[in-house]
Amino acid sequence: MPSFFDRVAHLYDRVARPPDPAPLLEMLAAAPGSRILDLGGGTGRVGQVLTGRQVAVCDLSGPMARRARDKGLLACQGRAEALPFASGAFDGVLVVDAFHHFAGQEAAAREMLRVVRPGGRVVVVEPDIRHPVVRLVAVGERLLGLTSRMRPAEEMEGLFRAAGGRVVRVQKLERASVGVVVTDGT
């Protein structure tokens, strides 16, 4: 049975605009030529704005990953909890507005830290569940049948520490979002 994201893949880019890449690249500390994994990257709306970097998109939804490939991005279908990449394959891992959709967030955190090179960064940008509008969005997602789990920044910090990461910083962003920057703990 197709998932919600399988069904909306053809409409997704009309609704979700690409973000400003500057804060994402700064948090990733991503030099030109860096290998970046856009995890839960869907149609590649984020990956496409990270110009000058080698971006791979990985998403659970096949139709979303196909849309990313149509944009010329390297894309695959895969689970965040069991990534199909070698350890240390990326200079950075970026998750924008998708972590709350991962079924096994603890396993996903471990996998992100596994596939980032020593000293590389994992950046997770999520809606700030403490914001009233975001709480309404969370209710809306439940009504749509999604099993999203939005966590406050402190919980995300603890989750990544438990996975062996070292939290570099937590940063409030525009649009009621928060960014958590993590290294592999080395």
Side-chain angles (χ1 to χ4, degrees):
M1 183 160 120
S3 75
F4 171 81
F5 289 102
D6 291 346
R7 292 189 302 270
V8 300
H10 67 286
L11 301 170
Y12 194 79
D13 287 330
R14 294 181 191 159
V15 179
R17 292 199 169 98
D20 176 5
L24 302 175
L25 292 170
E26 188 272 325
M27 286 188 287
L28 281 166
S34 300
R35 297 175 321 263
I36 306 297
L37 174 61
D38 181 6
L39 182 57
T43 64
R45 74 177 180 92
V46 174
Q48 71 186 359
V49 299
L50 302 178
T51 56
R53 279 65 181 182
Q54 300 172 43
V55 179
V57 175
C58 185
D59 198 273
L60 183 59
S61 167
M64 294 288 247
R66 280 192 293 282
R67 294 267 176 191
R69 276 193 297 277
D70 290 346
K71 294 176 182 175
L73 295 167
L74 176 64
C76 71
Q77 184 177 2
R79 298 189 63 79
E81 301 85 353
L83 292 171
F85 305 107
S87 297
F90 296 95
D91 298 306
V93 177
L94 177 64
V95 180
V96 177
D97 296 332
F99 190 79
H100 59 281
H101 295 298
F102 298 164
Q105 293 176 345
E106 293 82 2
R110 286 190 302 274
E111 279 293 276
M112 287 184 264
L113 289 166
R114 180 186 66 77
V115 300
V116 74
R117 69 167 169 75
R121 288 187 172 186
V122 171
V123 174
V124 178
V125 176
E126 279 283 281
D128 185 351
I129 192 62
R130 292 197 169 124
H131 193 280
V133 172
V134 174
R135 286 196 297 265
L136 286 174
V137 169
V139 169
E141 287 189 0
R142 283 202 182 91
L143 292 173
L144 288 170
L146 300 176
T147 57
S148 307
R149 180 166 183 208
M150 294 185 194
R151 296 175 179 261
E154 303 81 39
E155 279 188 33
M156 285 196 296
E157 285 183 76
L159 187 142
F160 278 96
R161 281 193 186 104
R166 183 175 61 81
V167 176
V168 174
R169 75 175 187 263
V170 176
Q171 167 176 343
K172 287 205 178 282
L173 302 166
E174 61 183 45
R175 296 173 156 172
S177 292
V178 63
V180 178
V181 181
V182 182
T183 63
D184 66 345
T186 59

